[in-house]
Every structure is written in C-alpha cells, then in structure tokens.
Amino acid sequence: MPKNLTTKILEAHLVEGTLIPGTEISIRIDHTLLQDATGTMAMLEFIAMGLPRVKVGLAAQYIDHNLLQTDYKNADDHAFLTSAAMKYGVHLSKPGNGVSHQVHLERFGVPGITLLGADSHSPTAAGISVLAIGAGGLDVALAMAGHPFNLPCPKVMGVKLVGKLPDWVSGKDVILELLRRHTVKGGVGKVIEYYGPGVATLSVTDRATIGNMGAELGATSSIFPSDERTLEFLVSQGRGEGWLPMAADGGATYDEYDEIDLSALEPLIACPSSPDKVVKVSEVAGTKVDQVIVGSSVNSSYRDLMTVCRIVEGQRIAPGVHFHVNPGSRQALENVAQDGGVLMLLMAGVSIHQSGCLGCIGMGQAPGTNQVSLRTFPRNFPGRSGTMGDKVYLCSPETAAAAGIYGVITDPRKLGEIKPYPAVRNPEKYLLDDSGIIFPLEDGSAVEIKTGPNIVPFPDFEALPDSLQAGVVIKLGDNITTDHIMPAGNKVLPLRSNIPAISEHVFEQVNADFPARATAAGNGVVVAGENYGQGSSREHAALAPRYLGIRAKIVKSFARIHKANLVNFGILPLVFKDPADIDLFSQGDQVSFPEIRHLIESGAGQIPVFVNGREITTLLEVSDRQRQELLAGGTLNYVKQNQH
Ligand code: MIC
C-alpha cells in the first residue's frame, strides 16, 4: 500500500502504538533542540534525571532568545547552559551565532530524521525533510535522556502545490494563504505534508518558512519531500553526504487534502493581532508604517536577507521608518556580507542587529504607542512586541522592503516600477562558519555546573488529592495564547529559571491581579473557549499557573503542546462535553471534582464537575500513561517514583 512521507518517517521511528490518528504513539527521537528561554528549565529537568550524558543522536542547545544583558540574569543563565552542555555532551551555539531553527537547518538537520525541539517553530527543519516537532522542555529533557516521545498520532493533511510563485511573491505568502484558509486552529492534530510539482520550484529556505509557520496553524509538524533542491542546499552547506531522496509513494493518500496554485498567489499580510487575520497586501496598502523588521525566527536566511539587500540597493529607507534586520545566523550574515549586501543595507539606512530572536519575542525593538510595525516574524499576538495595544503586521521580506522604501504598506509588485525582481538564489557554496558552536567534549564528567542566583530549585508539586475543591480564578474566550498566559519580553524572559518569580507575571496583560487571586483561592481553575494555549511551547505557561495553585483548566478545546505541558505539571486538561456549559461558569465560582483521583485511576473518560449546584460533564482525553502522571502530580514525580 503506497504511503505518504509522514507515515514513512513515523513508521521508521515508531516505538509503541499504531498509526491510528488520535491514539497515543511513542516515537524515537534523533535530534533534540533547546533554546535558552526554554532551555534553562529543561536542562534543570534533564540534570534531575541523574544521567552522566545525553542519550540521543545529537543534542543542541542554542542561546538565541535572551540576548539582552540588562543585568546578571541572562548572562548567568548562558553560563549555566554552557557548562551543562559541556558536561552532558550537548552542542552549544553561542549568543550571536543565530536562531536555533536557522542554525539547525544549516548545520545539523538531515532528511528523514526526527527532531524534538523546546520551541514551537522547530518544524522550520521541514525545509530539509526533518520531521520536527515542538514540545515542552520536560518532554525534550526526557528525549535527551533517551526516552521516546509520546504524542497523539497526527492525521496527515496533504497540500498539493502546483505552478510556480510569481515575482515578488515568496514562501511567506504560501503559509499566509494556508492561515487565511484554515485559521490558527486548522492544523491542530495534523502534520501538513507538501507534495506535487510545485514543490520543486521552492527553495529550501522558502520551504523552511512554510514549515516554521505551520506552528501558527497549530500543526503537529510539517514536511517537504527531500529532492534535488534539498541536495543542492546540503551540498552548499558542505553536508551533501547526509542527503537521501524521500517522498510519498506514487498513489499515496492523505486524511485531508488541500491544493495551492503557486502561480495564482498574491502578496499577503497578516493584520494585528493574529497570524490568521490575513488579507491581500493591496487591501491595506497606504497604511503609514513606522517600523519594519526583517529576520528573527523566520525569513532570516541568506535568500531572505539578500532579497531585501537587492531591493533597497541604491534606495533610501523612507524618513519616517526605522528598518531593522535581525539575521537568522552569523553564517547567513557572513554570506550576505561576502556578496556586498551589508553595504547595500547600511547605505539605504537599515539597522543591522546581531543574529537572534530579538524583537520576535519582545527582547527589544518594541514599537512606540500607536505605531505600525511590519515584521517578517511568525506571530503577532497582542502585546507580544512589548507594547500594549500594538499594531503588528506579518509579511514577506519583499513586502517588508516595499514598506521600508515607500513608508506605507505597499504591494511589493509596485517595486517592479523601479527595478526587476531580484530572484535571489541561495549560494552554491556557502562560506561556512562553525566558530559560534562549541562541540561536545569526549568526556565532560569533570566540568562543573555554574549556577547563579537566578537559578532556583524546581518546586515540589503534591499528588492529586482524592477530591478537589477549587475557585474559578479567570474565565476567558477563544484562542488564548501562551503569550497571554505567560508573557515573554525582556522583563519576564530572564525569570524562566525562577518559577516563584515568573509566576508573578501569569496573565499579566489580561488581568494583573491573577497571581494574587489564584494564591488566595488556594486551588484554582481556569475556564476558557476554543484552542486554549495556542502558540509557543513554553512549559512555563503550565508550570507557573500550577505553582499558583491552578489544578484544572476547563475549556472548549486545547492546543496540542499546551495540553501536554498541563499534564506534565499535574494540571487536569478538561474539555466541556457540551461547549454551551461554559455559560454556567463565572469568575469567583466554587467548583468541585468529587472522587477525582478514583475517576482518573479507573480510566474514566467523563469527569463530572459541580458548579453552582449544577453537575456538568467534562471530557478527559489522555493516555493511560498521562493518567499516571496526573495522579502523581506531574511527569517528574511519576518518573522519580518509577525509578525507585
Ligand atoms: C515563540 O516564538 O513564541 C518562542 C518564544 O520562541 C517560544 C518559546 C518560548 O516561549 O521560549 C516558542 O515558539 O515555543
């Protein structure tokens, strides 16, 4: 029976389970990826497992998020991560070397492997046919310790690509089109697999852009076939020997289908403040722009940067616009520099920053009050830029460059009036630079772990009690993001290794007295609508609320990674059987879960919840393993109990 590519990779890595969508499967992980914002906690969790060295094919630790050193905290965390990487056999990418996704694509990824990353945008590696999945730090720590990764078996959505992108339209427009069609929850529980004749027309970096923002669809992962373009890319990176051709078998089928005619695509843009508020650029053309940023997590490759260089070459950035470039990697910037691009940017009035995430997670580059910011980033959730009420649009490098030159949102095809489309191709042979990577030692056992005062021990969480009483601490609507729950930004991100301190910021932008009310409630419940916890992989969005006493979240539906993180830290992820029951709940209500422990032990899929004297039914859709973890009060407790 012909198989699609996702099925082939999953089958080759299957440790337990059957590939039936929705049922739990365990897969073997070949590479792991940590970045510094999720990595400090994940590394502490790995250390707590007591192993002398990682047990995975390749483990990488990137320092790309917390680059601002406004006090000792981030620098302490970087020193901790570096020492831990050296001790445990992990590749360490130093600050300024680049964004994890871009560097992993350039230097480490190989077609057909699995990658588990503590960052939701890990599926950037889809560009070279890696089945990359974003997960909470604890799941990645377990994979580093050699454990398989457990996940609900995804459906596979086949997206057939036909035609060829017109000039001034690029990979970003392809994924924005999918977001326009399917919204931020359209990919939940699915791998998006691209196939068809249009694939060969897309460069690896366009494919990587599309894979990166599959996270915005809520997808488990994305994948492209490995073909001649993949080979070209790997050869250009001096890694051609890792190539192998991979594609779906002829006649393979998918659980769902979609098709995009690349030739028919127009430049698209996501409006404030959700990646799926997509319109044609022409529909918002003329909007005055104050800031433009190209780069960071996505659209930060050589092709993307050099496209901007060629567009602004010989032009001036409009007087009212501050145009920033955040290269995805030092190597990408070096190759741009070698080809004269740096001078083109500087002469046009562009600010060039160090390689890293920077403004993409509010680590600087916040726009001013009421200012319009156009970014090639993957997300524009409210307030994520660091400015409340921000007006952030997401677009391609071509559209960003057009706005920079004209000072207003402009369809980039207008640039054709001043110059032909640059049609930049990646170099045939990159200038290679691994100077920012510290490779693992043969034996790191003598290395001492460096910890500073910012790193505080992991809190203890009690096992699930027999019955639970709790107060509704907050009631929210649909599409609540992890940025709402646990904000990023330069003030909060440095607290990622200090749970008591970071918990003071939970729901800060939604309801600033949440931490005080949660603590006063003793045990708390969060009630919300659809797609709760969309966005990042940050486990702190589960861990910090749990620290404040949140014991259950009752919602209409969950985003995949957040639901797994809730279980990891012992919070009950409950779904309304009848979504209309949400109307029975108000902030401040008392809720009870009688005999909850017994129900979970006995495998009950329906959990009765009492609110204001009414009984409603909620669903607990978790595996047997997850039930044990919930009973133990979280995965770490469960793992520890089972070690003795
Ligand atoms: C993001 O883009 O939201 C982040 C910041 O990279 C997160 C990880 C984090 O919160 O540290 C993600 O995508 O998982």
Side-chain angles (χ1 to χ4, degrees):
M1 170 135 146
K3 290 175 185 160
N4 57 51
L5 179 54
T6 309
T7 304
K8 289 196 214 182
I9 302 179
L10 284 176
E11 270 184 5
H13 290 83
L14 198 62
V15 177
E16 252 179 70
T18 324
L19 296 184
I20 301 169
T23 60
E24 185 170 89
I25 53 169
S26 299
I27 56 169
R28 184 170 46 79
I29 295 300
D30 299 314
H31 285 191
T32 58
L33 176 158
L34 295 178
Q35 39 90 340
D36 51 332
T38 52
T40 45
M41 194 45 67
M43 198 59 102
L44 288 170
E45 289 156 352
F46 173 76
I47 294 171
M49 292 173 206
L51 294 181
R53 199 172 170 90
V54 291
K55 284 189 175 172
V56 64
L58 184 146
Q61 168 70 60
Y62 294 90
I63 299 181
D64 54 3
H65 278 65
N66 292 354
L67 297 183
L68 292 185
Q69 297 188 200
T70 53
D71 65 14
Y72 63 91
K73 295 193 197 70
N74 289 340
D76 277 5
D77 285 352
H78 299 170
F80 162 67
L81 290 173
T82 308
S83 62
M86 292 306 92
K87 189 168 184 72
Y88 296 110
V90 177
H91 292 68
L92 189 283
S93 174
K94 288 159 74 173
N97 189 52
V99 177
S100 60
H101 315 304
Q102 181 64 25
V103 179
H104 214 87
L105 187 81
E106 290 173 349
R107 306 310 302 141
F108 298 125
V110 202
I113 63 164
T114 53
L115 162 71
L116 194 70
D119 193 291
S120 65
H121 294 116
S122 302
T124 309
I128 47 172
S129 315
V130 172
L131 190 72
I133 303 178
L138 180 53
D139 283 319
V140 180
L142 286 163
M144 287 163 68
H147 293 268
F149 174 58
N150 308 303
L151 75 161
C153 178
K155 288 185 183 168
V156 188
M157 173 161 140
V159 177
K160 185 174 180 185
L161 300 179
V162 298
K164 183 177 181 302
L165 289 173
D167 288 354
W168 307 105
V169 178
S170 62
K172 184 66 142 238
D173 300 302
V174 179
I175 189 67
L176 287 176
E177 171 63 11
L178 278 178
L179 277 154
R180 191 185 68 76
R181 293 184 192 180
H182 296 279
T183 81
V184 287
K185 49 181 200 279
V188 176
K190 301 171 197 168
V191 172
I192 318 288
E193 179 171 323
Y194 296 88
Y195 70 103
V199 169
T201 69
L202 294 177
S203 67
V204 158
T205 51
D206 271 333
R207 297 177 192 184
T209 299
I210 296 168
N212 174 292
M213 283 187 68
E216 275 31 86
L217 290 162
T220 303
S221 187
S222 295
I223 191 92
F224 277 88
S226 168
D227 58 9
E228 292 295 316
R229 305 298 298 269
T230 324
L231 175 62
E232 269 167 34
F233 180 79
L234 289 173
V235 167
S236 73
Q237 288 287 335
R239 305 197 298 112
E241 73 290 345
W243 180 74
L244 75 170
M246 299 193 79
D249 295 333
T253 57
Y254 295 94
D255 299 304
E256 290 177 22
Y257 291 87
D258 199 358
E259 178 166 332
I260 296 183
D261 178 0
L262 299 173
S263 334
L265 281 185
E266 287 194 34
L268 298 172
I269 191 162
C271 296
S273 290
S274 178
D276 61 359
K277 288 186 74 180
V278 176
V279 298
K280 290 179 182 168
V281 175
S282 53
E283 288 175 47
V284 284
T287 309
K288 158 105 181 59
V289 172
D290 302 280
Q291 184 192 48
V292 178
I293 316 181
V294 172
S296 295
S297 172
V298 69
N299 292 123
S300 53
S301 67
Y302 173 90
R303 187 219 81 93
D304 297 308
L305 303 186
M306 204 61 205
T307 299
V308 173
C309 298
R310 292 273 177 226
I311 294 175
V312 303
E313 182 180 12
Q315 307 291 318
R316 297 289 297 176
I317 297 301
V321 177
H322 190 178
F323 199 116
H324 307 252
V325 163
N326 302 340
S329 69
R330 180 197 301 272
Q331 188 185 271
L333 180 60
E334 285 162 348
N335 283 274
V336 166
Q338 178 168 259
D339 293 346
V342 168
L343 199 58
M344 296 172 204
L345 295 176
L346 292 175
M347 294 295 287
V350 172
S351 303
I352 305 175
H353 298 264
Q354 67 172 315
S355 305
C357 306
L358 312 178
C360 188
I361 29 82
M363 204 31 95
Q365 302 178 320
T369 311
N370 289 325
Q371 288 187 357
V372 168
S373 178
L374 254 64
R375 300 167 167 214
T376 66
F377 301 169
R379 335 200 127 118
N380 59 346
F381 298 141
R384 184 175 152 98
S385 66
T387 301
M388 291 294 277
D390 54 9
K391 299 197 178 89
V392 176
Y393 293 75
L394 307 174
C395 64
S396 69
E398 289 84 346
T399 302
I405 289 173
Y406 295 109
V408 292
I409 298 181
T410 307
D411 186 320
R413 291 173 294 188
K414 184 174 162 61
L415 290 166
E417 293 170 9
I418 50 176
K419 54 172 71 175
Y421 182 57
V424 171
R425 286 182 68 93
N426 285 320
E428 276 175 23
K429 188 87 197 76
Y430 276 84
L431 179 65
L432 300 179
D433 178 12
D434 285 336
S435 63
I437 298 174
I438 313 180
F439 286 81
L441 303 171
E442 286 262 308
D443 176 5
S445 55
V447 176
E448 282 202 20
I449 299 291
K450 293 189 186 142
T451 51
N454 191 38
I455 296 173
V456 309
F458 190 84
D460 279 335
F461 295 133
E462 57 163 13
L464 190 71
D466 291 338
S467 292
L468 199 58
Q469 308 279 336
V472 176
V473 189
I474 198 165
K475 182 178 167 184
L476 301 149
D478 292 343
N479 291 322
I480 292 299
T481 71
T482 51
D483 280 285
H484 288 108
I485 307 169
M486 188 73 266
N490 69 325
K491 199 172 66 165
V492 182
L493 277 175
L495 304 174
R496 287 282 182 93
S497 49
N498 184 339
I499 297 306
I502 205 169
S503 66
E504 290 304 312
H505 299 273
V506 173
F507 283 121
E508 191 164 52
Q509 291 170 9
V510 182
N511 192 321
D513 62 356
F514 178 90
R517 286 187 298 103
T519 311
N523 289 329
V525 172
V526 171
V527 174
E530 300 278 4
N531 200 25
Y532 182 82
Q534 66 156 329
S536 83
S537 66
R538 66 190 68 144
E539 61 188 355
H540 302 73
L543 189 42
R546 174 68 192 88
Y547 181 79
L548 295 173
I550 299 300
R551 306 303 295 262
K553 296 202 177 181
I554 314 178
V555 304
K556 292 185 187 168
S557 67
F558 284 105
R560 174 188 63 89
I561 308 179
H562 188 60
K563 180 177 174 188
N565 284 338
L566 292 177
V567 174
N568 280 350
F569 298 105
I571 298 179
L572 300 170
L574 301 173
V575 173
F576 290 108
K577 185 171 181 205
D578 177 358
D581 283 346
I582 191 169
D583 296 336
L584 301 173
F585 289 76
S586 302
Q587 188 174 305
D589 284 349
Q590 282 299 309
V591 180
S592 62
F593 305 83
E595 296 189 25
I596 184 70
R597 202 176 163 88
H598 168 71
L599 285 166
I600 292 182
E601 267 164 354
S602 62
Q606 303 208 347
I607 306 290
V609 176
F610 292 81
V611 57
N612 297 325
R614 296 268 303 264
E615 177 179 346
I616 65 146
T617 304
T618 63
L619 307 176
L620 179 65
E621 289 163 340
V622 292
S623 66
D624 291 345
R625 173 192 56 83
Q626 288 179 310
R627 283 176 187 275
Q628 298 309 315
E629 292 169 354
L630 286 169
L631 291 167
T635 304
L636 267 188
N637 289 355
Y638 174 72
V639 169
K640 279 189 212 148
Q641 280 167 14
N642 286 287
Q643 270 168 356
H644 302 300

